[in-house]
Amino acid sequence: MSNSRIESIDKFDLPDADKFVHFIFYFTFTILWYLFLRSVRVFKSLARLRFLIFIVAVLYGACIEACQFLFTEGRSADLLDALANSLGSGSAILILWLLVKKKRDNN
C-alpha cells in the first residue's frame, strides 16, 4: 500500500477524545489506589477510604490543570479535563461502593 493511499484513509476523529482518556486514567487511578490502600489496611472504614481517594484524585487533577496554566507555554488549563478527571474518579468510587454493598448484602 502506498503512502498516499494510507494518508487518504479517513482517520477516526472523535471530538474531545482526550476527555475520554482523562476519564479512564482517573477511573483506573482511583481503583488502583483503593485496592492498594485497602490491602495495607490503612483505614478501618471503607467509606472514609473511598472519600479520601476521591478527594485526593480531584485535587490532584485540579493541581495538574493549575500547573499547566501557570508553568507551561504550550499548554493551557482545561476545566473540562478537570471535570473528566472528577467523573472518572467518581464513577470508580460509585462502582466500588456498589461492589462492597453487594458483597455485604450477600453475606
Side-chain angles (χ1 to χ4, degrees):
M1 188 179 262
S2 72
N3 250 357
S4 61
R5 184 172 168 129
I6 292 172
E7 291 172 5
S8 70
I9 298 173
D10 289 335
K11 295 178 182 175
F12 183 69
D13 188 24
L14 183 63
D16 296 321
D18 69 311
K19 306 309 180 256
F20 180 71
V21 173
H22 281 263
F23 179 93
I24 295 298
F25 176 80
Y26 276 80
F27 182 90
T28 305
F29 171 79
T30 299
I31 289 178
L32 291 175
W33 271 108
Y34 175 82
L35 293 173
F36 170 72
L37 291 173
R38 191 186 71 180
S39 73
V40 295
R41 301 185 189 278
V42 174
F43 293 89
K44 291 181 182 177
S45 167
L46 293 180
R48 285 185 183 171
L49 175 61
R50 289 188 301 267
F51 178 74
L52 178 66
I53 291 171
F54 175 73
I55 294 301
V56 168
V58 169
L59 291 176
Y60 180 75
C63 183
I64 293 297
E65 293 304 316
C67 287
Q68 284 181 188
F69 175 74
L70 295 170
F71 304 120
T72 64
E73 291 183 24
R75 301 191 60 159
S76 62
D78 187 346
L79 291 177
L80 292 178
D81 285 351
L83 177 62
N85 298 344
S86 299
L87 289 173
S89 182
S91 297
I93 293 297
L94 177 63
I95 288 172
L96 291 167
W97 175 75
L98 290 171
L99 290 171
V100 167
K101 184 178 180 332
K102 181 179 179 182
K103 183 177 178 181
R104 285 185 181 153
D105 290 345
N106 287 339
N107 288 335

